[in-house]
Amino acid sequence: MSQLYRALPSVDRALDALAEYAPAAPRKGEVALAALPRALVREHVNGFLDVCREEIREGVYNAPEQLSLQALLPRMAAHVRAASRPHFRRVLNGTGVVVHTNLGRSLLADVAVEAVREACAHYSNLEFDLATGERGSRYSHVERILCQVTGAEAGLVVNNNAAAVMLVLDTLCKGREVIVSRGQLVEIGGSFRIPEVMEKSGARLREVGATNRTHLRDYENAITEETAALLRVHTSNYRIVGFHKEVTLDEMVALGRKHGLPVLEDLGSGSFHDFTALGLGDEPTVQQVVAAGPDVVTFSGDKVLGGPQAGIIVGRKEWIDRIKKNPMNRALRIDKMTLAALEATMRLYVDPELARRSIPTLSMVTATAEELRRRARRLAGRISRDLGEAFTVTMQDGASRVGGGSFPERDLRTTLVRVTPRDFSATELKQRLLDTDPPLVGRLEEDAFCLDPRTLSDGEFPLVSMALEQAATR
Ligand SMILES: *Cc1c(COP(=O)(O)O)cnc(C)c1O
C-alpha cells in the first residue's frame, strides 16, 4: 500500500501537467483550467489527491500505474473544474413549471434587470429627497405606482410575503385574536405554515369552521372583545373539490364593517394580469380584490407578479401608516436592488399588454399551444441535428404548471420534447444533466426524459444542446 501512496504525483507536478492538459480538455461551455487562479487550482488538486488517498485505503487500486499522473489527469481536471465552479449558478429550466420556487421563481423583465444594474453600480436617491435635498423614504419610490396599479390608498414593501403577513399581524393583532377559517390554515412549502407564522407575530389564532366548510355565522359567533381582525388566507397551493364552502370576501368585508374590525387578505400569489381567458379558473386579480374593500392585502413580488422577491402590503392608509411605524418593519426592509426591480416591473403594468409581453413570467404563462408546438419543433430539430447519434428525439402533447402555489391543479397545454439516450437510461440522463455546464433540469414522464419549451427561451436552445452533448460524452 505504501508503494501506492508513493506513486501519487506531487502537487507541483500535477499543477504543471494540468496547465498543459487544460487547453485541449474543456468541453463546450466549460471554463478552461488555465483561466483559474493557480492558488485555487492548487487547493482543489490537494482535495483530489486526498480523494485518491482515501481510495487507496479503501483498496480501489492494485497497481502503481493506475496512480500515474497520466492515468489520473482526466479525472483530476474534471474534479478541479467541478470544484472551482461557483456554488450558486444559472440552470436551464426544462420543467415547464414557470414559477419554480427551487429554481428561483420569477425571471425579471429586461428593464428590471437594467434597473438593478443601475441601482447597484451607482449612488442613488434611495433615501434622499431630490425636491428638498433632505432625507427621504425608500418606500416613496414604489408606493405611488403600487397605488396606481392596485387602486389601494397606501402601500409598502418588505422582504417577502411571509414577512408581510407577520408584520401585519404583529402591528394590528399582537396579544389579541385573529379569526381564520380552518380550511385556510395552509402550509406554503418548506414546512412553512401559516399558523406558525401567526404565532410568531404574537397574535392568537381563533380557528373557526371545519376543514371543508366554514360559514359566515362561524366567524360572527367567534367575535368577542378580544378579536383584533378577520383574516382570509388564499389557499393558493391546493384546491378542495366537492362538499366545500368558504365565506366570500364581500361577505367578510361586510361583517368586518358591521363589527368595526379590519379584514386582512393574504393573497399569496397576487396577480395583476387577468388569466381567466387561459382557462386558469376565476382567481380574482389584486385590483379586483382591493376593489372589494378589505383593509389590508398582502402578496408576493416574485410569484405570478413576475418581479423580485418581495412582500407587498396594500390597503387603507390608517392601517398602512401604523404598519410602516412598526420597528419590525426596519428588520424586514427591502434593499435597493429589490426596490429598483420592483419599480421597473410595476411600471410595465401601467400598460397591461406591455406587461404581458415583457415580463417573462407572464409571457411564459400566456404562451399559446401553437407557439409552444412551433418552439418544441425547433428545439427538437436542433437536438436531433446536433446529437442525432446519441439521442432519439420525439415530440408529445403535455402539460405545464404555473407553479409557486398559483392556480393549483390547473394545467396549461404544451408540447414536450422527449429525449431518449441510445446508450443509457432516461433516469441516468436526468442525473447526468445536473452536472453539466449549465445544469439542465427536466422531468421524467412515463420513464421518458422530457423538456418543456415553455420555460426555455429560444436563446437557451443552443445551451440545451450543449448540456445534452456533455451528458452523452460523460
Ligand atoms: C407563497 C405564499 C406565502 C409566502 O410568500 P413568500 O413570498 O414566499 O414569503 C404566504 N401566503 C400564501 C397564501 C402564499 O401562497
Side-chain angles (χ1 to χ4, degrees):
M1 198 177 276
S2 65
Q3 208 185 359
L4 290 175
Y5 284 121
R6 260 182 281 123
L8 275 177
S10 73
V11 178
D12 285 315
R13 272 187 60 223
L15 279 172
D16 291 341
L18 271 180
E20 309 241 308
Y21 175 80
R27 289 175 308 192
K28 256 196 275 171
E30 285 183 339
V31 184
L33 291 178
L36 296 170
R38 197 168 160 98
L40 184 77
V41 178
R42 175 180 291 274
E43 188 186 318
H44 297 318
V45 166
N46 269 319
F48 176 75
L49 293 175
D50 285 342
V51 172
C52 294
R53 285 186 197 102
E54 184 62 36
E55 288 171 347
I56 294 173
R57 253 192 305 284
E58 286 166 3
V60 172
Y61 305 99
N62 46 37
E65 302 80 70
Q66 292 173 301
L67 292 157
S68 73
L69 193 48
Q70 222 41 46
L72 291 178
L73 213 44
R75 254 183 79 210
M76 189 185 313
H79 175 98
V80 171
R81 252 189 223 109
S84 51
R85 290 193 293 230
H87 199 269
F88 182 44
R89 288 188 288 153
R90 171 183 186 169
V91 308
L92 301 168
N93 177 6
T95 65
V97 180
V98 180
V99 183
H100 196 306
T101 295
N102 303 142
L103 302 184
R105 286 201 182 158
S106 281
L107 312 184
L108 295 179
D110 290 343
V111 288
V113 172
E114 190 40 47
V116 171
R117 224 201 71 77
E118 186 82 359
C120 52
H122 308 285
Y123 290 111
S124 60
N125 63 338
L126 179 62
E127 291 188 353
F128 185 76
D129 187 337
L130 290 170
T132 62
E134 307 200 344
R135 194 197 157 109
S137 153
R138 69 174 61 210
Y139 299 107
S140 64
H141 307 293
V142 283
E143 182 164 14
R144 192 173 334 140
I145 186 102
L146 274 174
C147 293
Q148 187 185 345
V149 174
T150 63
E153 279 176 19
L156 83 156
V157 182
V158 291
N159 182 58
N160 59 9
N161 189 39
V165 174
M166 195 144 92
L167 179 64
V168 170
L169 294 176
D170 185 85
T171 312
L172 305 185
C173 313
K174 196 179 184 115
R176 298 175 65 204
E177 285 186 357
V178 188
I179 305 179
V180 60
S181 159
R182 286 204 167 84
Q184 297 174 358
L185 294 173
V186 294
E187 175 173 306
I188 52 178
S191 352
F192 195 80
R193 296 181 171 142
I194 284 293
E196 286 160 12
V197 181
M198 297 181 60
E199 258 162 45
K200 284 290 172 211
S201 74
R204 286 199 309 277
L205 211 58
R206 181 69 206 276
E207 301 170 27
V208 296
T211 310
N212 61 335
R213 288 174 76 82
T214 304
H215 305 271
L216 192 63
R217 61 173 185 275
D218 295 325
Y219 287 93
E220 187 143 34
N221 292 341
I223 295 173
T224 66
E225 302 87 84
E226 282 298 291
T227 310
L230 310 175
L231 170 69
R232 268 166 53 97
V233 181
H234 190 68
T235 52
S236 46
N237 53 5
Y238 78 112
R239 279 199 307 156
I240 298 182
V241 289
F243 191 56
H244 167 56
K245 171 166 172 36
E246 286 289 359
V247 172
T248 66
L249 180 57
D250 288 337
E251 292 173 310
M252 283 278 265
V253 168
L255 185 67
R257 296 263 159 80
K258 181 172 158 198
H259 294 271
L261 291 169
V263 172
L264 319 175
E265 169 99 4
D266 175 22
L267 268 182
S269 178
S271 93
F272 291 140
H273 183 89
D274 189 347
F275 290 101
T276 40
L278 286 176
L280 281 176
D282 45 8
E283 304 247 334
T285 60
V286 175
Q287 299 88 312
Q288 288 163 341
V289 169
V290 168
D295 294 85
V296 180
V297 180
T298 53
F299 51 96
S300 284
D302 57 352
K303 290 185 180 170
V304 281
L305 196 154
Q309 177 188 306
I312 300 171
I313 309 173
V314 295
R316 293 200 188 291
K317 190 169 182 315
E318 59 169 310
W319 303 116
I320 300 292
D321 282 346
R322 281 174 57 187
I323 296 165
K324 282 180 183 165
K325 292 197 194 98
N326 186 336
M328 197 190 242
N329 185 18
R330 175 65 174 74
L332 303 174
R333 79 177 186 187
I334 53 171
D335 77 324
K336 59 190 176 183
M337 292 185 269
T338 304
L339 206 46
L342 187 62
E343 187 189 11
T345 307
M346 291 301 303
R347 285 163 65 108
L348 293 170
Y349 275 108
V350 174
D351 176 350
E353 181 47 29
L354 180 65
R356 198 199 63 74
R357 268 187 288 120
S358 31
I359 297 174
T361 301
L362 293 191
S363 50
M364 286 189 254
V365 172
T366 58
T368 62
E370 296 74 50
E371 193 180 327
L372 290 162
R373 169 152 283 272
R374 259 197 320 276
R375 298 188 58 240
R377 208 175 293 133
R378 266 211 303 282
L379 177 60
R382 163 140 218 152
I383 300 170
S384 358
R385 208 165 49 246
D386 295 352
L387 303 159
E389 308 267 283
F391 300 102
T392 322
V393 186
T394 54
M395 296 197 297
Q396 71 186 53
D397 289 342
S400 331
R401 285 279 164 90
V402 178
S406 327
F407 308 106
E409 304 307 310
R410 306 280 188 182
D411 287 338
L412 298 165
R413 273 174 56 216
T414 191
T415 303
L416 300 173
V417 175
R418 193 178 159 128
V419 184
T420 312
R422 296 198 198 274
D423 302 329
F424 51 99
S425 72
T427 319
E428 170 73 16
L429 175 61
K430 185 167 187 257
Q431 190 60 36
R432 288 188 191 185
L433 285 167
L434 299 181
D435 194 35
T436 52
D437 271 318
L440 167 59
V441 186
R443 61 187 214 224
L444 289 178
E445 291 248 318
E446 292 152 15
D447 295 333
F449 182 78
C450 294
L451 295 170
D452 188 335
R454 187 185 295 275
T455 46
L456 293 164
S457 69
D458 289 357
E460 286 178 325
F461 289 1
L463 297 177
V464 168
S465 207
M466 205 157 85
L468 284 166
E469 182 182 353
Q470 291 171 29
T473 54
R474 179 121 310 175

